[in-house]
Amino acid sequence: MKKMQTPNVVKHFSMTALAAGFVFAFLPITADASEFGSEKLSDGTEHEEHVELLQELLVEEEYLEDGP
């Protein structure tokens, strides 16, 4: 029984795709946050109460130490 051979085009395409995947996966991607300057993403949102509640819950569950 003959074994089917993979065409060279498929081999070259898969190697190229694999190489491109490695380049994109391991290339450090940085975003320039200075484009926004000091603008807020949304005005008027306050999350202080939510943060305090989350910190209390984390201390109760011993994920955080109670600060000074």
Side-chain angles (χ1 to χ4, degrees), residues 35-52:
E35 293 176 9
F36 295 108
S38 62
E39 290 181 41
K40 292 182 180 179
L41 294 178
S42 58
D43 289 328
T45 55
E46 296 292 330
H47 298 289
E48 291 177 20
E49 294 175 17
H50 298 288
V51 172
E52 290 174 0

Side-chain angles (χ1 to χ4, degrees), residues 12 22 24 31 34 36 38 42 47 54 66:
H12 291 294
F22 277 118
F24 284 115
S34 64
F36 295 108
S38 62
S42 58
H47 298 289
L54 177 61
D66 197 8

Side-chain angles (χ1 to χ4, degrees), residues 6 15 17 32 37:
T6 307
M15 290 301 292
D32 190 12

Side-chain angles (χ1 to χ4, degrees), residues 1-66:
M1 182 178 239
K2 278 187 165 182
K3 288 185 178 182
M4 291 185 64
Q5 292 185 352
T6 307
N8 285 339
V9 174
V10 174
K11 287 181 182 178
H12 291 294
F13 177 75
S14 61
M15 290 301 292
T16 304
L18 183 65
F22 277 118
V23 167
F24 284 115
F26 295 110
L27 186 69
I29 299 172
T30 58
D32 190 12
S34 64
E35 293 176 9
F36 295 108
S38 62
E39 290 181 41
K40 292 182 180 179
L41 294 178
S42 58
D43 289 328
T45 55
E46 296 292 330
H47 298 289
E48 291 177 20
E49 294 175 17
H50 298 288
V51 172
E52 290 174 0
L53 177 62
L54 177 61
Q55 286 177 342
E56 289 173 8
L57 290 172
L58 290 172
V59 168
E60 286 177 13
E61 295 295 323
E62 297 180 356
Y63 290 109
L64 267 179
E65 293 180 11
D66 197 8

